[in-house]
Amino acid sequence: LHVGSVIGMLAAPAIINAVGWEALFTVFGAAGFVWYWWYERLMADIAESDPEAARKLVAPPGSTPPGSRRSSTSGGGAATPARRRTSSGGGAQPSSVTASMSGAAAASTASAASTASVSAAAPGAKAGGGGHGASALPPGTPLPYRAFLRNASVQALCFTHFANNWYHFTMLAWLPTYFKVTLGVDLMHAAQTSLLPPIAGIVCSVASGRLADTLIASGTPVGTVRKLCQNIAFLGPALLMLPLLTGSADGNGAISVGLVTIALGLSSFSLAGLYCTHQDMSPKYAGALLGLTNTSGAVSGLVGVAATGALFDWSQGSWGTALMAPNVALLLAGAAAYTLGARNEPVDFDAGNNAPFWFEAAVRGPVAALSRATQPLVQGLSAAWDKTQEVRLRAAEQGVRVTRKLRSLRRKEQRASLAGDDAAATAAAAAAAA
């Protein structure tokens, strides 16, 4: 997260100055293809060194990869507890991929995952929907989304995630412009100054995980630790932004940059608060819960950046009105919502009310018609994807066989060459002796 921000802010000014701002979309889009190429190369290397692991990586979830045996202890593809805990924080990664992450980002991810795993060991867990010992979901298992949405703690998490992402998206999107206007520097220097908050975020990400782990290991209740970290992430930035809101820091660039840097750094304590709560509530549905709350966070990204620009124009260039005031208000409201509404004890969503909402009957007909109309397309795309995966796996296996044959031929050629050299040397020696 933070490393990507640093790289983007380093590259963007140089690209804009060289070929214009429109090129940013082309360059960053092309970077996605480069990333895909790197991924395919990585998969080919894995297929060559460990074909069994390659089969498991491309096999559909819950299925048995061709040529592999289903473990009797894993329940047919179910994740182990360690993998389930890691996946709740954003997806399990193979050790080779994790090891290749850059130092600070890897430490940040490891700290957050470690925090989640400590909380997962909390006592009092129930089996089923809310237990920390819940089994992985079989493919096609319906999710109790209505029970999620009716739960007051999930509602509080959705608002907390909305406030968290509004702050991150608006600040990171408008920070170069803010520094350019308030500090009177060019775009290049403004972007370089904007690197400081993500760097502070890396430091605070690691610190938040260490702090949470230490407190939980010392016997502090998990809920207390989560709320402490989340309040640091929200109340700290809100207090630091007050001088920027009131204008008392105007005219002093060092103070403005310092306040923004520390504020955005402290917001990374959410990794040990908000982002661990889904796992605390229900490891069984942690991924679905994070997807649900992250949806509300994505909405804030869509709305917040544009709303900040509209407020900036409406207020005739007031950063306090456009950027600082909405963020301070949302951070304070988010801190209150999380402290009062979120819970970190297991919740059995399977026993919750998953009955249809009142408005579903009105939309069920059109939605069913749309589903029937698009079902052939979806099935066709799914079949094409499965076929592509099968072809890619076969190509990788064929590549491994070809590589082995080439290596064998090279070894034979080398042996033949050495034998020829020996024969030539022997003949030369015989000729010299004669």
Side-chain angles (χ1 to χ4, degrees):
L1 177 64
H2 297 299
V3 173
S5 300
V6 170
I7 295 174
M9 289 180 180
L10 281 173
I15 295 171
I16 294 173
N17 290 334
V19 289
W21 64 267
E22 297 91 343
L24 281 178
F25 297 94
T26 304
V27 172
F28 288 161
F33 287 101
V34 175
W35 185 270
Y36 176 75
W37 171 82
W38 171 83
Y39 170 78
E40 290 295 328
R41 289 288 302 272
L42 177 64
M43 288 297 297
D45 291 342
I46 295 175
E48 181 177 353
S49 61
D50 192 348
E52 181 70 14
R55 292 190 188 94
K56 292 178 180 179
L57 287 172
V58 301
S63 65
T64 303
S68 66
R69 288 182 290 182
R70 192 182 296 265
S71 171
S72 60
T73 60
S74 64
T80 63
R83 182 173 291 272
R84 284 201 305 272
R85 291 168 188 160
T86 306
S87 64
S88 71
Q93 297 178 335
S95 59
S96 60
V97 177
T98 304
S100 67
M101 296 173 64
S102 59
S108 170
T109 306
S111 296
S114 173
T115 303
S117 65
V118 170
S119 67
K126 300 177 183 178
H132 290 290
S135 61
L137 295 176
T141 301
L143 299 172
Y145 277 110
R146 301 182 186 92
F148 295 163
L149 293 172
R150 285 188 172 97
N151 185 273
S153 183
V154 175
Q155 295 169 8
L157 281 183
C158 286
F159 182 78
T160 305
H161 215 141
F162 181 92
N164 180 81
N165 283 24
W166 181 291
Y167 178 63
H168 271 280
F169 286 134
T170 58
M171 291 297 291
L172 292 180
W174 285 98
L175 208 53
T177 306
Y178 172 76
F179 284 146
K180 180 182 177 182
V181 172
T182 57
L183 302 181
V185 297
D186 58 24
L187 182 61
M188 177 68 75
H189 289 88
Q192 291 173 350
T193 306
S194 300
L195 294 174
L196 296 176
I199 293 173
I202 293 173
V203 175
C204 289
S205 297
V206 177
S208 66
R210 300 294 185 187
L211 174 64
D213 286 346
T214 301
L215 291 176
I216 293 174
S218 68
T220 305
V222 172
T224 302
V225 174
R226 300 287 184 245
K227 288 178 170 58
L228 171 64
C229 291
Q230 193 57 45
N231 276 284
I232 292 174
F234 276 4
L235 296 183
L239 292 175
L240 290 169
M241 292 175 68
L242 287 178
L244 304 175
L245 171 61
T246 60
S248 58
D250 291 350
N252 194 322
I255 292 179
S256 297
V257 172
L259 290 173
V260 171
T261 298
I262 298 173
L264 276 169
L266 289 178
S267 67
S268 295
F269 272 78
S270 289
L271 292 173
L274 163 66
Y275 287 99
C276 290
T277 306
H278 314 80
Q279 175 79 9
D280 295 334
M281 292 175 64
S282 176
K284 179 179 180 180
Y285 296 121
L289 288 171
L290 179 58
L292 179 63
T293 65
N294 198 42
T295 300
S296 65
V299 170
S300 70
L302 292 173
V303 176
V305 176
T308 301
L311 284 172
F312 187 77
D313 293 338
W314 175 79
S315 62
Q316 299 181 350
S318 171
W319 288 107
T321 301
L323 186 60
M324 307 305 169
N327 274 306
V328 170
L330 281 171
L331 288 173
L332 293 176
Y338 187 85
T339 302
L340 300 176
R343 58 179 294 183
N344 301 91
E345 297 79 23
V347 178
D348 189 355
F349 288 106
D350 291 329
N353 182 6
N354 199 42
F357 290 102
W358 61 269
F359 57 83
E360 291 187 55
V363 300
R364 185 174 291 115
V367 170
L370 179 63
S371 177
R372 287 193 296 270
T374 58
Q375 186 175 9
L377 175 62
V378 173
Q379 291 176 342
L381 292 174
S382 177
W385 173 256
D386 292 341
K387 186 66 176 179
T388 301
Q389 296 293 85
E390 181 181 352
V391 170
R392 189 176 72 176
L393 179 60
R394 289 178 179 175
E397 293 175 340
Q398 181 65 23
V400 172
R401 288 193 290 269
V402 170
T403 300
R404 290 173 178 171
K405 289 181 179 179
L406 290 174
R407 288 176 178 174
S408 177
L409 289 174
R410 289 195 192 100
R411 286 194 293 268
K412 290 180 180 178
E413 291 175 354
Q414 290 172 354
R415 287 195 293 268
S417 176
L418 291 173
D421 292 342
D422 291 341
T426 301

